[in-house]
Amino acid sequence: MLETTVVIIGGGATGTGTLRDLSMRGIPAILLEQGGIAHGTSSRFHGLLHSGARYVVNDNESARECIEENMIVRRIGRQCVEQTEGFFALTPQDDPSYVEKFIDGCRTAGIDAQEIEVAEALRLEPHLSPEVRRVFRVPDSCVDGFRLVLHNAMSAQRYGGRMFTYHEATGITLRNGQVCGVTAVNRHTGETVEIACQCVVNAAGSWSGHIAGMAGLDVSLSPDRGTLIVFNHRFTSRVINRLHPSGDGDIFVPHGSITILGTTSAATDKPDDTTPTTEEVLRLLDIGEPLFPQVHQYRILRAFAGTRPLYTPGGTSGRKASRNFHIVDHADEGLEGMVSIFGGKLTTYRLMAERVADRVCAKLGQCVPCKTADEPLVHDVDEATLKRAARFFPMQGLHLMADRLGDDLPGVLELAEKQPNNPLLCECEMVSMAEIEYVARQPAIFSLTDIRLRTRLGMGTCQGAFCSLRTVGALTEHGVQLELTPTDNVRRFLQERWGGLRFALWGMQAREMELSRAIYASTLNLDGAEHEQDC
Ligand SMILES: Cc1cc2nc3c(=O)[nH]c(=O)nc-3n(C[C@H](O)[C@H](O)[C@H](O)COP(=O)(O)OP(=O)(O)OC[C@H]3O[C@@H](n4cnc5c(N)ncnc54)[C@H](O)[C@@H]3O)c2cc1C
């Protein structure tokens, strides 16, 4: 049996943030995540590091939290954030009287919102509709959720925190009204793991209600599904929001070379109901059109969805339900040692982790201050290391790779130095052989999809059509064995990509998909190869 002080259930931003916080305070903790890194909503979201301007009218306190945390995350998570700034643009369809409320709200929340001339806004963002009436600049930014979660986990591990991915919590052990352990199942081996502990933090996002149920508790949580679409190019330099009360499909967020539009909001009964629909995609395009009149012509790479856990005591629902975060100390219901934390935003994950860790410390009778706002998540790469790396990695991808890898960069560099050459296997995202091999050899990596989550392999325009084949071939040549056979790996990888492609299959993307199908189904006979393997 393993022993620790705190078990955290859920490896999204909130859970890994909590693992980092407790570990930095010197409190032993183990995190359990049923999937790979950022398996839940923290990788199925918009990627906006909110300035808070979105919430200034309806929820000024939330807006203030966002702007404060936005500034902290920029500082500690530099490698995960692109400081783009954002525009709030009033279109002819929006109510002009909202603007004064917006300006007042920004002032109250401490958000620097500056109006600029429409002509200047159009010069900076030439694809923006010339019909927009007023434009305000705000300190919005973009954040990479996968990387933020990974870097939090790396930081936590440096302080002794332990994280078990592919471990599903299946039971919570209670004795005399006190939590004393957690049971988990290793999803790869089927092995059961028992962990003795004094406290459980339920950070399972949309699954939190289910986890609370394991301890016989009832948390009023309703998952709410939001669909987003990914365009294959970046047509804005900044985040572009519609200047009106929060609604569906009205924020465009640029990420690297692509742009994400979202989101919808629809009640669901399943936390993993992440399948978008073509109707939602078409509706998002219609709603986005007043900001970008050409949006219907832009090529869509894929659509995806995530679920947000809405706190719905008394039956509130949809956009009326609070999007703030909530901490429930189950001692109030007679169970000592268990705290649930859910809701909020990825932007405020650090604050959520701080508040829940404060609560845990109070329970344990420990008085150690939080240090997570002071120290960067990963170390900055020094100039000498970058210079060494420049000999093995393409210049255009060097900083991208260094930011992505964080503490893993020296290991990848060492591997690259041992190899005669280091080809790019994924050109869209600039991922080279050494990086893929290093990641593939990590114990928590089982499939091409795990490699994708760590490196962004296959996330670009080709959606894996070229790089998945190259990668399995190269890994086989280098003697790296994943859990699945090479054929199964490619098949599952492409199937997962297909899951996002099929709801927006028209125009150029349909042609790209047919090319991919021609490569794998006709030329390489992937289905046939699978049958042969089964025989
Ligand atoms: C469509 C959409 C768009 C959004 N856009 C933004 C945005 O632009 N900016 C922003 O700041 N916020 C945004 N949010 C909110 C933000 O994404 C979430 O607040 C945040 O990601 C929640 O993180 P989390 O760690 O609490 O939950 P999650 O990331 O869902 O993590 C919970 C984890 O618990 C794991 N788990 C569940 N059950 C078990 C079990 N039995 N054992 C082990 N592990 C388990 C799950 O696999 C999951 O990985 C958006 C949300 C949605 C839905």
Side-chain angles (χ1 to χ4, degrees):
M1 172 167 327
L2 290 169
E3 270 182 45
T4 189
T5 306
V6 184
V7 171
I8 301 158
I9 304 176
T14 311
T16 51
T18 307
L19 181 68
R20 174 176 192 245
D21 192 315
L22 290 171
S23 306
M24 287 178 87
R25 296 187 205 218
I27 296 174
I30 290 179
L31 184 150
L32 300 171
E33 166 54 52
Q34 64 180 351
I37 202 102
H39 173 77
T41 312
S42 299
S43 63
R44 300 186 151 274
F45 80 126
H46 220 152
L48 169 58
L49 189 67
H50 283 282
S51 60
R54 186 97 193 128
Y55 305 107
V56 287
V57 176
N58 284 352
D59 187 349
N60 207 267
E61 191 193 326
S62 220
R64 183 177 286 280
E65 278 171 6
C66 281
I67 187 64
E68 287 172 8
E69 288 303 309
N70 175 312
M71 295 299 155
I72 294 173
V73 176
R74 284 168 188 234
R75 206 171 58 233
I76 63 168
R78 186 193 61 73
Q79 290 82 351
C80 310
V81 176
E82 186 188 344
Q83 297 191 21
T84 54
E85 88 173 0
F87 280 175
F88 271 77
L90 185 79
T91 76
Q93 280 91 328
D94 302 322
D95 174 6
S97 71
Y98 185 74
V99 176
E100 286 317 308
K101 293 184 211 156
F102 174 78
I103 297 171
D104 277 355
C106 286
R107 198 178 302 122
T108 312
I111 298 166
D112 181 22
Q114 301 285 340
E115 181 157 18
I116 62 166
E117 295 290 332
V118 168
E120 174 64 357
L122 293 174
R123 188 185 69 77
L124 294 169
E125 295 293 352
H127 297 287
L128 191 57
S129 167
E131 301 291 315
V132 298
R133 303 275 158 87
R134 298 181 75 176
V135 178
F136 292 79
R137 298 176 102 131
V138 297
D140 280 342
S141 276
C142 309
V143 58
D144 182 326
F146 294 113
R147 201 177 296 171
L148 188 77
V149 170
L150 179 64
H151 287 188
N152 269 284
M154 281 178 174
S155 172
Q157 280 159 355
R158 241 183 287 129
Y159 283 93
R162 287 187 283 173
M163 177 163 179
F164 297 155
T165 49
Y166 295 106
H167 278 70
E168 179 185 356
T170 49
I172 296 175
T173 317
L174 316 174
R175 195 177 305 129
N176 301 329
Q178 162 77 47
V179 166
C180 60
V182 175
T183 307
V185 173
N186 179 329
R187 283 185 147 189
H188 282 285
T189 62
E191 188 192 345
T192 298
V193 182
E194 304 278 351
I195 311 170
C197 65
Q198 296 170 40
C199 251
V200 167
V201 175
N202 171 12
S206 298
W207 292 259
S208 303
H210 176 67
I211 302 295
M214 286 180 191
L217 302 162
D218 186 22
V219 174
S220 302
L221 260 194
S222 314
D224 184 86
R225 192 164 64 94
T227 290
L228 302 127
I229 52 187
V230 185
F231 296 96
N232 88 319
H233 71 300
R234 176 171 179 148
F235 47 88
T236 76
S237 297
R238 293 157 185 79
V239 175
I240 312 287
N241 304 260
R242 244 173 102 168
L243 181 43
H244 68 178
S246 295
D248 282 2
D250 50 8
I251 313 179
F252 289 81
V253 185
H255 286 278
S257 57
I258 55 110
T259 311
I260 300 183
L261 163 65
T263 161
T264 56
S265 171
T268 173
D269 50 1
K270 287 195 252 103
D272 52 1
D273 176 6
T274 51
T275 310
T277 66
T278 299
E279 290 71 35
E280 286 169 331
V281 172
L282 294 172
R283 189 154 57 84
L284 282 171
L285 291 176
D286 286 344
I287 302 168
E289 204 172 15
L291 283 174
F292 291 95
Q294 301 301 317
V295 76
H296 278 275
Q297 273 84 59
Y298 293 159
R299 177 170 162 193
I300 296 176
L301 208 51
R302 57 191 290 108
F304 67 98
T307 60
R308 32 175 103 71
L310 294 188
Y311 192 35
T312 49
T316 43
S317 63
R319 290 207 181 270
K320 291 207 184 81
S322 161
R323 272 148 164 83
N324 285 352
F325 70 83
H326 304 272
I327 295 182
V328 181
D329 186 339
H330 298 292
D332 299 341
E333 296 145 84
L335 178 62
E336 261 307 337
M338 180 152 163
V339 186
S340 293
I341 177 154
F342 50 82
K345 297 156 198 75
L346 186 118
T347 306
T348 54
Y349 88 94
R350 192 212 60 84
L351 177 68
M352 293 167 68
E354 175 177 343
R355 296 269 166 85
V356 81
D358 282 347
R359 190 69 67 100
V360 168
C361 285
K363 287 187 170 301
L364 297 171
Q366 305 243 18
C367 178
V368 197
C370 169
K371 291 186 281 194
T372 55
D374 305 329
E375 191 181 300
L377 298 177
V378 297
H379 301 303
D380 265 333
V381 182
D382 59 85
E383 276 306 311
T385 309
L386 268 183
K387 234 176 169 173
R388 248 174 76 205
R391 294 175 44 225
F392 302 95
F393 300 92
M395 260 331 268
Q396 321 88 288
L398 190 61
H399 289 277
L400 267 181
M401 180 201 60
D403 284 353
R404 188 160 63 211
L405 284 166
D407 294 356
D408 283 343
L409 178 65
V412 173
L413 185 50
E414 223 169 89
L415 196 60
E417 284 169 337
K418 284 190 200 137
Q419 293 177 1
N421 57 26
N422 182 32
L424 271 186
L425 297 184
C426 171
E427 284 137 354
C428 305
E429 299 288 341
M430 298 281 199
V431 195
S432 73
M433 178 65 217
E435 180 175 352
I436 287 176
E437 182 173 346
Y438 179 86
V439 168
R441 289 190 187 277
Q442 303 292 308
I445 301 294
F446 300 95
S447 65
L448 268 192
T449 299
D450 285 336
I451 297 176
R452 172 177 73 77
L453 295 180
R454 290 283 290 262
T455 63
R456 295 191 63 83
L457 168 94
M459 308 266 271
T461 315
C462 91
Q463 289 289 292
F466 301 110
C467 54
S468 53
L469 182 63
R470 273 187 209 142
T471 301
V472 284
L475 288 176
T476 308
E477 260 176 36
H478 285 235
V480 185
Q481 285 216 323
L482 296 168
E483 192 182 61
L484 300 170
T485 63
T487 313
D488 261 347
N489 240 318
V490 174
R491 190 177 53 82
R492 285 214 200 159
F493 186 86
L494 294 175
Q495 196 59 38
E496 190 278 333
R497 297 284 83 190
W498 169 245
L501 285 164
R502 65 198 159 114
F503 305 102
L505 260 193
W506 48 81
M508 292 302 284
Q509 199 54 36
R511 294 175 73 176
E512 170 99 30
M513 201 280 303
E514 282 306 331
L515 172 66
S516 182
R517 207 205 306 260
I519 296 173
Y520 288 98
S522 326
T523 316
L524 295 175
N525 188 25
L526 189 65
D527 290 347
E530 191 196 331
H531 295 317
E532 280 162 26
Q533 202 173 271
D534 289 345
C535 293

